[in-house]
Amino acid sequence: MSSFVVALDVGGTSMKGGLVGRSGEIILTDRRVTPRDKGPAVVVGAIRSFIDELAVACGGTPAGVGLAVPGLVTADAALYSANIGWRDVPAADFVPLDVPVMLGHDVRTGGLAESVLGAGRELSDFLFLPIGTGIAGAVILKGEPYGGTAGWGGEIGHIPVFPNGETCACGQIGCLETYASASAVGRRYSARIAATPATSGTPTSLATPASSAPLVSSATPASVASSAPLAVPVTAEQVAALTASGDPVAREVWDDAVEALSLALATYTLLLDPSAIVLGGGLAESGRLLSDPLAERLQSRLTFREAPPLRSAVLGVRAGMLGAALLGWRAAGVPDAGATWPLDVLKSPRVA
Ligand SMILES: [Zn+2]
């Protein structure tokens, strides 16, 4: 058997690929643009080419291929993705002839990596919750991600938390994602500022210098920000910095996000009794600014039981690719791959 697998994490904008050895050693990593605008057939071809290139770089045929893809997916087929536009693509279409392949849902594959290799290594049942542009979770039961009957399991971002709240992009009302995704936090702060009558030029909040991150893009002159603050895109990272510095509008938006998360996590906790909640993604990088009030709010909602501890994901942007490597080894007939892979090996070399 070949000594490596090809692992690919396919996102809507880019594909992160790697060659991963039998002991978890990351031989090579690379990245390609996902040619989504050229249609699903071109994306499938680009994935196939990327796999070929990675395999050639290692001078041989891989033992297996693992692919993490968005949308509805089984181990054998990418059934549907609104993001990429494909329907019913068999796994074999992505790989060279006779190479065993296994597909996984992007978030669940990241959850598998956190379960086998990362923050959930010694846990059996937990929720992996990456909070980024959107929110989706990986429900981990007995160490494995659970996707439900049709593959819709884990869509915690679309749990209605405020029944009379704002309309979500999905069409439902008051979804968690509408309040607590990184993009929602930035968007809701911008909307609040836009709705505030400008009495003295730049809102104090946007003019306040940040200690660690610039609040206004360096490409945006202060005078522009002053005359047209509404046009300045605000990131969740900036709202976090403003919240930490005491900005009242940012604090409100942040509190709404924490409140929404605490409601969804209380429901999850009562339903599935997880041993931990593993937070990942961009918003979790704000650290205790998020986890401290969230832990407190979650516990306050639960009267007859302890809230599960909140943990930080440890694999970061590598989670999807490493999970895909586990799938690749499973496809190759090594179901227990990852059990002995040391974390320091997984962190080196730096993933592109
Ligand atoms: Zn929704």
Side-chain angles (χ1 to χ4, degrees):
M1 186 190 290
S2 178
S3 59
F4 66 93
V5 296
V6 172
L8 233 62
D9 180 10
V10 179
T13 54
S14 74
M15 308 188 277
K16 295 190 266 295
L19 293 178
V20 179
R22 180 67 184 84
S23 304
E25 65 276 20
I26 298 170
I27 301 159
L28 178 72
T29 65
D30 207 346
R31 185 190 281 262
R32 294 282 183 281
V33 170
T34 306
R36 189 175 52 157
D37 53 338
K38 298 197 172 76
V42 175
V43 174
V44 174
I47 291 170
R48 171 78 189 256
S49 302
F50 193 14
I51 291 170
D52 285 344
E53 284 174 54
L54 287 165
V56 166
C58 211
T61 305
V65 171
L67 284 177
V69 299
L72 272 178
V73 53
T74 67
D76 306 316
L79 299 178
Y80 172 69
S81 166
N83 198 354
I84 294 181
W86 60 36
R87 275 182 189 277
D88 300 321
V89 185
D93 283 12
F94 294 107
V95 294
L97 205 60
D98 296 334
V99 175
V101 57
M102 195 175 284
L103 303 185
H105 175 270
D106 50 2
V107 177
R108 288 199 288 276
T109 303
L112 173 67
E114 288 290 350
S115 174
V116 176
L117 312 168
R121 202 158 196 160
E122 83 290 6
L123 303 177
S124 172
D125 303 297
F126 68 95
L127 173 68
F128 170 54
L129 188 66
I131 306 174
T133 310
I135 299 181
V139 176
I140 306 293
L141 303 176
K142 301 193 189 317
E144 289 290 316
Y146 174 73
T149 304
W152 289 116
E155 292 287 359
I156 191 171
H158 299 284
I159 286 185
V161 288
F162 299 129
N164 302 313
E166 298 167 16
T167 304
C168 180
C170 77
Q172 294 180 171
I173 306 293
C175 294
L176 170 65
E177 182 171 295
T178 307
Y179 293 87
S181 70
S183 42
V185 167
R187 173 179 46 75
R188 296 187 78 246
Y189 178 83
S190 296
R192 295 284 177 101
I193 294 300
T196 306
T199 51
S200 58
T202 308
T204 315
S205 49
L206 275 178
T208 308
S211 54
S212 58
L215 298 179
V216 177
S217 160
S218 57
T220 308
S223 58
V224 173
S226 168
S227 61
L230 318 186
V232 178
V234 178
T235 66
E237 190 182 359
Q238 291 165 342
V239 178
L242 288 164
T243 303
S245 71
D247 178 273
V249 178
R251 169 58 67 186
E252 271 181 45
V253 169
W254 198 258
D255 279 350
D256 286 349
V258 170
E259 179 77 354
L261 282 165
S262 76
L263 283 159
L265 293 180
T267 301
Y268 187 92
T269 298
L270 292 165
L271 198 59
L272 287 167
D273 187 24
S275 50
I277 309 285
V278 175
L279 299 172
L283 209 66
E285 281 167 23
S286 54
R288 296 182 62 177
L289 186 71
L290 178 69
S291 61
D292 280 358
L294 180 54
E296 191 182 319
R297 204 83 62 92
L298 175 57
Q299 186 58 69
S300 75
R301 294 194 175 282
L302 302 168
T303 56
F304 58 85
R305 58 156 296 157
E306 287 275 314
L310 305 179
R311 291 189 180 189
S312 296
V314 300
L315 300 173
V317 295
R318 295 176 305 268
M321 192 276 284
L322 289 169
L326 296 175
L327 296 181
W329 279 114
R330 289 179 177 190
V334 186
D336 63 343
T340 59
W341 295 1
L343 200 55
D344 56 339
V345 169
L346 305 177
K347 287 184 169 175
S348 174
R350 189 178 166 78
V351 175

